[in-house]
Structures are given as structure tokens and as C-alpha cells.
Amino acid sequence: MISNGCRLLCALLRTRRSPQPARRLLTAIALRVKSCQPAARHWWEEKNHEDGVKWKFLEHRGPFFAPPYEPLPDDVTFYYDGQPMKLSPAAEEVATFYGKMLDHEYTTKEIFQKNFFTDWRTQMNKDERKIIKHLEKCDFSEIHKYFFDKNEARKALPKEEKQKLKEETNKIQEEYGFCTLDGHREKIGNFKIEPPGLFRGRGDHPKMGMLKLRIRPEDVIINCSSDAKVPEPPPGHKWKEVRFDNTVTWLASWTENIQGSIKYIMLNPSSKLKGEKDWQKYETARRLKNVVDQIRSQYRLDWKSREMKKRQRAVALYFIDKLALRAGNEKEEGETADTVGCCSLRVEHIKLFPELDGQQYVVEFDFLGKDSIRYYNKVPVEKEVFKNLKLFLENKNPDDDLFDRLNTSIVNKHLQDLMDGLTAKVFRTYNASITLQNQLKALTNEDDTVAAKILSYNRANRAVALLCNHQRAPPKTFEKSMQNLQAKIDAKEQQLKDAKKELKKAKADYKAQKNDRNKKEMEKKKKQCERLEEQLMKLKLQATDKEENKQIALGTSKLNYLDPRITVAWCKKYGVPIEKIYNKTQRDKFAWAIDMTNEDFEF
């Protein structure tokens, strides 16, 4: 009723017939009415759209394109075979991509050099192609120095200049970084289109060094509401297409040239659409809890099936369940890095040991998983699984498929039949979340300090990261930061040692002369020792945590596989401030979980 009244007042204000005093009065009433309206509700308190519909209204400014190429100054020279050479703009731009990376490990790799040189020649004119025939004769050193110096100069800018640049960035963010979705002003995640450059890839990717072409408006499909203002392309350009599809969550899309994959501009992780998707993901994983025992019983029966396809499917499902392996997608030979998942494992990726290190029926896995991260694990398995694996390996070469009757489609179809919405990722999410919840129950001591409880939380999270094989290379600054931390510990131990001496003296003084002054001094020294002991303990816990985290990436599981409600409930139950576990960005992403969860939540 209030909103109807407000609309009526606004309509009256838009009519020019109202005399000025009346208009002023109506304006005042309208503002008063508007202030009485209830505040916008959280999206998780709103009614859901019908199936398949993601939004009713979507309006945005479109993507922010990379700035045009700025040619090198005349005093920066490219040399070929020792001779200075002025390159055409297109060839020069690609040369700068390589020049910027001269001090990077990538430019030492043969495949990177080969791919770069092949693609660079496509950007040269005829005359350049006639002259430039060997990469080893190219000298990019002046180009490298120019960009290095430019970067250092940017770092050394005075505070006022840095502030100006920050303000310009904020202005772009305000214009392009937000959209209107169903009455909510939502932040966009990646509104800037990636500039052209050289593809790096993960691990030893066969396409590393290839040229990522510049994305133009003519490559981009825009998605918004039919009743919204369609974003305007940059002057002189037009969009590839404009769609009004409210069954998808992307705002813009285009196809990149290296792998032919579709790239999207999506909303920020803290947005309504992302939050709803997260919530649904964890609710699907919670539903698995009700049928997982039945699924496990069935795949155990299928280990003895007369049908080889069923046996292979049952063993693969066991690996997906127990080891949190990804299903693994089909891909073109030689087009991408040699990474595999469960269904695409080859004979060479496993070894069988009837007995190893005092354990029976051990399987050794060694393969490259997602993002070319090595998966190496020795796992004792059930006897029937071991027997089946021996059977699957018979009469096969090292490069033959382990599961030759199986592919990802067959596994996914079977998972859908077992439970609506079930995928290999749901198993990972379920097992990760259950592991966290069980580990937190086992490791958390109610009487511990907050610092000790945080260590327990990180240890529980580490158990999940190990399960999901979330590894990382030790940070380059690791040794230095550990040395700094150890120096702090040593200094704190010395402080404590000195404080204990002072306390001993204060006790002796009080024993010799029991007056209020000596008593106060003794109490003061005692409190100082307790405070230093607490600080020392905190630093030691921090060092332990850092050392244990050295090669484990906790962030991936925390953001993608662990139901945040488990963490929120644990924080509330044990009095740990939520900001000690989740940073500002993560708190925004999981605002729905923080708001709706109490300490009794069970996954």
C-alpha cells in the first residue's frame, strides 16, 4: 500500500500542472513516505523464481575493453641479428608481450618459444617475415628494460599520483562494475575483458606461448532484459549479438581463440545468483547424505557383476567416493595438457602392491590432475577392488585405458539415475564437508584459546585439502617469512625470560616485606608474564600453522567444497569471531550462511 501511494505521488509530481507550492508539499510527502518503506530484504528471504528462470530484470553497462595498443617510444629499439629494426604496429605489439616476459621461466621453454614465434609471424607484414626467420636472432632486451623501468616508476609514484590512479580505477568500477538485477544493485565479478597477450596454461601445456587475440565488441554477445537499456558498444563498433535470456546467469560472453572455449562475464561471488547457486550446491550435497549408504552398498554388489562395464563403473565410483577423484572429461588428443580424471586413467597411472609398508592391497596413483597438479597417492583398497583392478590391467599396454568400457558420460548418467542432480563434484562437496564437520568435532577443545581453536580449524581444513589434492608450491617468500616469525618467537622468549626474573625478584621483595606496594608490583609482574606467555603461545601456533600450510592450498576447499554453514555454526558454538576464518570478500560471499545459521547446524 505504501509503495502504491509513493508511485501515485511520483506520478503527480511528474505532471506540470501542479502549482509550485503544491509540488514542494508533494515532494516532502513523497520523501516521507519513501523513508517509511521497509528496507530491501536479503535475497535469501525472497521468493524464488519459477524453475529455470534466473532473474526477471537485468541491466548493465557491458564489458570494459582493454585499452588500445600504445606504440613504443622511438628510443626503444628491437634488434634482429644485431641490426635495429622498426616493426609494424601489429608485430611490435606481439613483440612486447614476449619482451615483458624475458625474465620469466616460460620464455626458456622450447614449446613456448615455438608457439610464440609461429603466431608472431602471422602478425608480421611480408617484409618482416622475409627478414625475421629465427627467434634466437631476436633481441628484446630494450623492450624488456622499458617495461621494467615503467613498472618501477609506477611503484615509485608519489602518494597523490597513486591516489589519482586509484580514483580513476574506482570510477571505472562504479560505471562498469555493477548491474541492476531484480531490484538489487549487484557487483559484477570480472567486468574487464582480458587484454591480448601470450597464453601460459598450467604445467607443460602444449599451447603455451600462443597469441591470445584482442577481444573486440564484434566478438561479444550481450545478455540483458528486453525491458532494460541495452548497453552501448564503444563508438564505431557493434555487438556480435544481443540476447534477452533469463535462464542463464552470464551478462556477456565471447569465444577465446586458443582453446575455443567460451568466456563469460558473471556476477561477483557475493551476488544473489552466485549465492543461490552455492546454497543449492550444498543442499544437493546434503541430500546425498540420505542415499550415500545405499549407493555404497550397490557399487559393492556391482564389483562382482558378470558385466565388465558394471564392474568398471562400480570401481570408478568407489574412487570418486573414497578418494574424491574428479570424473575427468573427454578432450581432443594433443590439444590440451595431458591431465586425466578417474574415467580417463591409463594403465601407466597405477601400480598394484598386494602388500606395501605393512598394508594389504595398496594402489599407487601417479598422474596429472586438473591444472596439471600431480596426484600421487598410495591407498589401501578393499580386496574386491584390488582383484578387479588386476583384471582390468590384463593384456593391456601402459597407454591403454584402465576403464576401457567407461567414459564420463556413462558415469554421469549413472549418477543421475542414483539421485537427481548427483555428479562427481557433488561427491567431492559431500565428502569434503562431512570430513570438515567430523574433523572439527574431533579436534576442537572448548577450553582452548581462540588461537588454538583456529589452528584446529585449519588442521580440519587441511584434512579436506589433502583429500581433494589441493596442493600448491611453497610461496617464494616462505623461508624469509618463517625466519621473521622465528625471530619474533626468539625475542618474545627473551622478554618472557626477563619478565620471569623480574617476577622472581618481586616475589622475593614481597616475601621480605609484605606491604601493598610490593604486593601490587608482584601482581603486575605476574600479569605481565601471563600476557607474554599467551603472546608466545600465539606466535608458536602461528608458526606451526604456517609450516603445516606450506604446500597445502586451504582456500580452494574453503571457497568451493565446504558448506560455509559448518564453519559459521562452529564459530558461534566455540566463540571464534567469524572474521578470524573468513576475510571480508569471503564474508560477503557467504553472507547468506552467516545470517541463517545457528550453532546447532548439522551438515
Side-chain angles (χ1 to χ4, degrees):
M1 187 169 172
I2 288 174
S3 58
N4 287 339
C6 201
R7 276 197 289 270
L8 180 61
L9 286 168
C10 290
L12 283 167
L13 281 168
R14 282 194 293 271
T15 62
R16 293 184 181 179
R17 294 174 192 169
S18 308
Q20 197 61 32
R23 285 173 62 75
R24 279 200 295 269
L25 177 63
L26 286 168
T27 302
I29 296 169
L31 289 170
R32 186 67 181 266
V33 170
K34 191 176 181 182
S35 70
C36 294
Q37 289 189 55
R41 293 177 301 173
H42 298 305
W43 61 256
W44 52 89
E45 295 169 342
E46 294 174 353
K47 192 179 176 184
N48 288 339
H49 297 309
E50 57 268 29
D51 279 353
V53 174
K54 306 295 184 187
W55 43 264
K56 295 285 187 182
F57 181 85
L58 174 62
E59 187 172 87
H60 56 93
R61 179 69 178 77
F64 182 77
F65 290 89
Y69 173 64
E70 287 183 22
L72 292 170
D74 292 336
D75 60 342
V76 178
T77 309
F78 166 77
Y79 295 90
Y80 185 74
D81 204 13
Q83 297 300 312
M85 185 174 174
K86 183 65 181 169
L87 297 170
S88 61
E92 184 185 90
E93 181 179 13
V94 180
T96 64
F97 300 156
Y98 194 86
K100 287 175 187 175
M101 294 178 68
L102 271 193
D103 58 353
H104 202 289
E105 185 193 355
Y106 275 103
T107 54
T108 65
K109 296 184 178 182
E110 192 180 335
I111 187 69
F112 189 93
Q113 294 171 350
K114 181 174 173 285
N115 287 336
F116 159 71
F117 196 64
T118 302
D119 280 7
W120 185 28
R121 283 177 60 80
T122 66
Q123 302 301 305
M124 295 176 190
N125 59 34
K126 274 185 191 176
D127 294 335
E128 289 165 340
R129 275 197 292 272
K130 278 180 188 173
I131 299 168
I132 303 171
K133 293 190 175 177
H134 303 283
L135 182 60
E136 61 271 20
K137 291 184 178 181
C138 297
D139 183 351
F140 302 92
S141 56
E142 283 196 18
I143 295 174
H144 176 74
K145 185 179 184 307
Y146 168 71
F147 284 105
F148 178 82
D149 291 346
K150 198 174 176 182
N151 195 38
E152 291 300 305
R154 194 182 298 117
K155 287 180 190 173
L157 281 173
K159 195 176 176 182
E160 300 75 35
E161 290 298 315
K162 283 183 179 176
Q163 185 58 34
K164 274 185 190 174
L165 290 174
K166 191 178 177 184
E167 284 167 11
E168 284 171 23
T169 303
N170 291 342
K171 194 177 174 184
I172 293 168
Q173 170 85 39
E174 278 299 312
E175 186 176 354
Y176 290 89
F178 292 89
C179 69
T180 303
L181 184 135
D182 291 344
H184 295 275
R185 185 173 185 259
E186 297 279 17
K187 199 172 182 181
I188 299 169
N190 54 332
F191 63 90
K192 289 183 177 180
I193 284 183
E194 194 179 357
L198 302 180
F199 179 70
R200 300 186 185 193
R202 306 271 188 161
D204 290 325
H205 201 289
K207 291 189 173 184
M208 65 165 67
M210 288 177 70
L211 175 62
K212 288 189 294 181
L213 296 173
R214 181 179 293 275
I215 303 300
R216 294 181 166 82
E218 287 74 14
D219 304 313
V220 175
I221 298 170
I222 293 291
N223 191 35
C224 60
S225 298
S226 55
D227 56 344
K229 184 186 176 188
V230 176
E232 291 179 17
H237 292 275
K238 60 180 183 178
W239 303 120
K240 180 180 180 180
E241 186 188 337
V242 176
R243 289 186 191 170
F244 310 114
D245 186 355
N246 66 0
T247 65
V248 296
T249 58
W250 53 269
L251 284 63
S253 74
W254 62 93
T255 303
E256 57 87 28
N257 66 293
I258 304 286
Q259 301 186 92
S261 59
I262 300 173
K263 298 284 186 180
Y264 297 98
I265 285 181
M266 309 286 277
L267 291 178
N268 186 273
S270 62
S271 67
K272 174 180 188 275
L273 291 183
K274 291 283 188 180
E276 280 178 341
K277 195 175 178 183
D278 267 354
W279 190 1
Q280 287 161 9
K281 174 176 76 177
Y282 294 118
E283 283 302 299
T284 303
R286 287 180 86 198
R287 280 196 289 117
L288 176 56
K289 185 172 65 172
N290 302 323
V291 294
V292 73
D293 289 339
Q294 186 184 329
I295 290 170
R296 286 168 178 165
S297 298
Q298 185 58 55
Y299 70 56
R300 280 185 168 85
L301 286 174
D302 287 344
W303 290 340
K304 296 181 180 179
S305 172
R306 291 182 178 181
E307 200 179 330
M308 183 59 76
K309 179 180 164 183
K310 267 191 181 179
R311 283 193 181 210
Q312 289 192 3
R313 189 182 69 191
V315 171
L317 193 49
Y318 171 81
F319 288 158
I320 286 167
D321 179 16
K322 294 297 180 186
L323 302 179
L325 295 189
R326 292 180 175 87
N329 296 312
E330 295 87 358
K331 51 194 178 184
E332 291 177 42
E333 195 73 29
E335 286 297 296
T336 54
D338 184 23
T339 57
V340 296
C342 185
C343 298
S344 45
L345 284 169
R346 298 191 294 271
V347 171
E348 62 190 310
H349 294 137
I350 72 163
K351 286 180 185 172
L352 303 182
F353 299 93
E355 193 174 332
L356 185 70
D357 300 331
Q359 294 180 306
Q360 285 189 309
Y361 312 122
V362 175
V363 182
E364 180 186 85
F365 293 88
D366 193 355
F367 61 89
L368 290 183
K370 186 183 175 186
D371 294 337
S372 294
I373 292 172
R374 185 187 182 199
Y375 182 93
Y376 181 76
N377 203 358
K378 291 176 183 175
V379 196
V381 298
E382 295 187 35
K383 187 178 179 179
E384 285 299 327
V385 172
F386 194 85
K387 282 166 67 179
N388 272 303
L389 288 170
K390 279 181 77 175
L391 184 64
F392 302 160
L393 292 173
E394 280 179 8
N395 303 315
K396 285 184 182 175
N397 296 317
D399 58 351
D400 287 339
D401 288 334
L402 175 66
F403 300 117
D404 54 326
R405 311 284 175 92
L406 205 60
N407 60 39
T408 313
S409 304
I410 292 168
V411 170
N412 283 337
K413 170 73 173 65
H414 179 61
L415 292 173
Q416 282 291 328
D417 292 341
L418 294 173
M419 186 191 99
D420 184 42
L422 184 59
T423 63
K425 186 171 182 178
V426 173
F427 262 107
R428 276 170 77 80
T429 305
Y430 165 76
N431 281 317
S433 293
I434 279 290
T435 300
L436 179 75
Q437 186 167 273
N438 293 340
Q439 287 288 311
L440 286 175
K441 283 179 181 176
L443 296 172
T444 311
N445 183 344
E446 198 172 348
D447 300 325
D448 275 348
T449 62
V450 168
K453 286 172 185 171
I454 290 167
L455 179 62
S456 297
Y457 179 86
N458 286 343
R459 281 179 168 160
N461 195 353
R462 266 193 289 282
V464 175
L466 287 168
L467 173 74
C468 297
N469 197 41
H470 292 150
Q471 299 179 38
R472 65 169 183 174
K476 289 177 182 176
T477 57
F478 179 78
E479 293 302 330
K480 182 87 190 303
S481 61
M482 282 300 285
Q483 284 170 11
N484 292 342
L485 194 51
Q486 189 56 51
K488 285 182 184 177
I489 290 170
D490 293 343
K492 196 63 69 177
E493 281 178 336
Q494 187 58 50
Q495 278 181 279
L496 181 60
K497 194 177 176 182
D498 294 343
K500 281 182 175 177
K501 278 182 185 175
E502 289 177 17
L503 175 61
K504 192 177 179 181
K505 183 179 179 299
K507 280 181 177 177
D509 290 347
Y510 178 64
K511 194 175 181 181
Q513 203 173 354
K514 292 191 176 183
N515 57 39
D516 287 345
R517 188 172 66 81
N518 284 350
K519 187 179 180 182
K520 279 180 185 175
E521 187 64 18
M522 183 182 73
E523 292 295 333
K524 182 183 168 185
K525 296 297 179 187
K526 190 178 177 183
K527 281 179 183 174
Q528 188 183 9
C529 281
E530 287 169 357
R531 189 167 63 251
L532 287 168
E533 278 173 347
E534 192 179 321
Q535 289 169 352
L536 179 61
M537 180 59 70
K538 202 171 180 179
L539 284 169
K540 284 183 174 178
L541 288 170
Q542 203 179 327
T544 304
D545 203 17
K546 205 175 188 70
E547 181 61 46
E548 290 178 3
N549 265 354
K550 185 177 176 180
Q551 290 180 281
I552 300 291
L554 298 184
T556 309
S557 48
K558 195 191 277 190
L559 285 178
N560 300 307
Y561 291 103
L562 299 176
D563 189 327
R565 291 170 292 185
I566 299 167
T567 298
V568 174
W570 177 83
C571 284
K572 289 181 178 178
K573 184 173 182 179
Y574 292 103
V576 177
I578 194 76
E579 58 270 20
K580 296 284 186 183
I581 304 296
Y582 289 143
N583 62 30
K584 174 71 169 66
T585 305
Q586 291 163 346
R587 294 198 299 275
D588 288 345
K589 176 179 166 70
F590 297 133
W592 58 273
I594 293 167
D595 185 68
M596 67 167 62
T597 310
N598 60 41
E599 65 177 55
D600 301 321
F601 174 82
E602 286 280 328
F603 179 74

